[in-house]
Amino acid sequence: MKSKIKALKAKYLGIPVQVKASVWFAICSLLQKGLSIITVPIFTRLMSTEQYGYYTAYISWYNILLVFTSLNLFYGVYNNAMMKFRDDRAGYTSSMQGLVWMSTGVFLILYLIFRNQVNDFLGMNTILVLMLFTELLLTPAFRFWMASKRFEFKYQPIVAVTIIKTIANPVLGLILVLLSEKRDIARIASIVIVEGIICSIITIYQFYKGKKFFSKRYWKYALLFAVPLLPHYLAGQVLSQSDRIMISKMIGNSEVAIYSIAYNIGLLMNIFTVAINNSYTPWFYQNLERRRYLQIQRVTTIIMYIMAAVIILLMFCGPEAIAILGSSEYQDGMYAVPPVAAGAFFMFLYNIYVDVEFYFEKKGYVLFSSVAAASLNILLNLIFIPIFGYVAAAYTTMICYIIYSLLHNYFAKSICRHRGIPETILSPKTALALSSLVVGTALIMNVIYKYMKIRYGFIIVSSIVFIVERKKIIAIIHGVLHTMKEKETVK
């Protein structure tokens, strides 16, 4: 037994740091978002649909307003800056925190001046909005810290902090919800408290390490890169968050709660998407710089197959997932699961294409694609939500994510042709085939939901295929690991 443990330990130590980092980043994302989803059944049963819908609307507003206050400086521009200012990454990070603080302070002053109007628009009171600003001020520090550690493949600190947050958030939330009659406010307060404590510590640490609040050079670079992308980032949040806000305004908070449960189930795949992208992007940047095109194509293709397979399996399990996460009040939400899950696949594809655009700093392409898709999403929601209810929002979102990824695909291929990069790094044939399969499955799934034997039969057959073909699957994974382990061959 000891020899086996030693052998496993030796194999683990022999894995390249990039691969180990990817695995642990995926585990962290699974822990953080997975436990959040696992605890959903507790909160949906302790809170009314109205209260849970109000809490969900708060989260949506936070995600949208964060774009304005932070300019999403921890996304595309940050990855580029880690390459451009590699000799002073800590200084760049602390100066970005300073820029976020300055921006958030400006918005806070504006809020205090127009407090009553903003409160009415958001549907919140002053205390709740101030809690919102607390998050907006502090949470970017954690995102900067996470992004910097990922870029350096230092996964151990991320694992430790993620475990603390993952446990503290639902535990404190449960305690406060049980002690309060206003359970929606209590749930929101638990998040603000946990995020506030952890992010405050990280903020102080990064200011101390970087020793820069203001840097004309860094602020100018970040603003010139990020400000033109503000409509793009806002459009991304509109695609992912506006449906819940529009359902709340047009139908009610109870329907928001039902839709949110279905949306959370469909976006289980977003856990894998974000985890993969967080480790894939630094690896992609470094390999694109080294012109290792064949390696990029291999990894991209395999990841596409894995994502499509898991998403389709998730669609087949939609009714059971709804039953687990919500009470009988939420059961109709299962019909929103397939289109939302399909949309997650196109979110994944978009991330692959937009990495090319960000690497070559083609902000105009990114901006056009995002704004076009978001504008279409709002228009379709305005037309179809009043007619077909909240389920319509799931299908309009899927359609818009398809258009979103198609536009980014077109521009990414254009960049590749212009730069002399083979378009095969985007795996276009694989993407087209798997996209057709995922969308086709989503469209017929609501009919299949009526036939339990067909669904269970598919799940059983899929399990058998996995068991029988496990050696080939393991060999494919080993191939990916080998590709990521290969030394640079082309300069």
Side-chain angles (χ1 to χ4, degrees), residues 40-58 177 181 183-185 187-188 244 247-248 251-262 264 322 325-333 390:
V40 165
I42 299 174
F43 291 110
T44 54
R45 286 165 173 80
L46 290 175
M47 300 161 66
S48 67
T49 54
E50 183 75 17
Q51 289 174 329
Y52 193 78
Y54 188 77
Y55 155 73
T56 302
Y58 170 90
V177 165
E181 292 183 0
R183 294 181 169 179
D184 43 1
I185 308 298
R187 182 68 184 108
I188 293 169
R244 276 163 282 190
I247 292 170
S248 174
I251 305 178
N253 281 329
S254 294
E255 286 74 15
V256 174
I258 297 171
Y259 177 78
S260 295
I261 294 297
N264 283 334
I322 287 285
L325 295 184
S327 60
S328 58
E329 297 175 274
Y330 295 87
Q331 196 59 36
D332 286 344
Y390 62 85

Side-chain angles (χ1 to χ4, degrees), residues 137-183:
L137 182 70
L138 296 174
T139 53
F142 179 73
R143 301 202 183 197
F144 285 126
W145 180 77
M146 290 271 284
S148 65
K149 296 302 178 186
R150 288 190 186 107
F151 212 90
E152 297 169 353
F153 301 108
K154 294 180 179 179
Y155 55 88
Q156 296 93 337
I158 294 180
V159 173
V161 175
T162 298
I163 290 174
I164 294 171
K165 282 186 62 178
T166 300
I167 295 174
N169 195 317
V171 169
L172 181 61
L174 181 60
I175 292 172
L176 294 184
V177 165
L178 289 173
L179 294 176
S180 176
E181 292 183 0
K182 297 182 177 180
R183 294 181 169 179

Side-chain angles (χ1 to χ4, degrees), residues 121-140:
F121 180 72
L122 298 179
M124 303 179 196
N125 58 37
T126 301
I127 294 176
L128 203 57
V129 176
L130 290 177
M131 291 168 63
L132 180 60
F133 268 101
T134 301
E135 278 201 274
L136 294 173
L137 182 70
L138 296 174
T139 53

Side-chain angles (χ1 to χ4, degrees), residues 365-420:
Y365 294 161
V366 176
L367 177 61
F368 174 80
S369 304
S370 304
V371 172
S375 301
L376 180 62
N377 183 244
I378 292 175
L379 177 62
L380 293 178
N381 281 340
L382 286 172
I383 294 172
F384 293 108
I385 288 178
I387 299 173
F388 299 105
Y390 62 85
V391 175
Y395 284 95
T396 59
T397 301
M398 180 186 74
I399 292 169
C400 291
Y401 273 124
I402 292 173
I403 295 172
Y404 197 38
S405 64
L406 285 174
L407 289 171
H408 282 294
N409 172 267
Y410 173 79
F411 290 126
K413 288 196 296 184
S414 177
I415 293 171
C416 288
R417 285 194 297 268
H418 180 70
R419 298 279 179 169

Side-chain angles (χ1 to χ4, degrees), residues 25 33 68 90 116 128 163 189 199 225 265 287 303 350 356 380 389 405 424:
F25 293 154
K33 295 186 179 181
F68 291 101
N116 293 331
L128 203 57
I163 290 174
C199 295
F225 193 110
I265 293 170
N287 282 272
I303 293 174
Y350 142 77
V356 178
L380 293 178
S405 64
T424 51

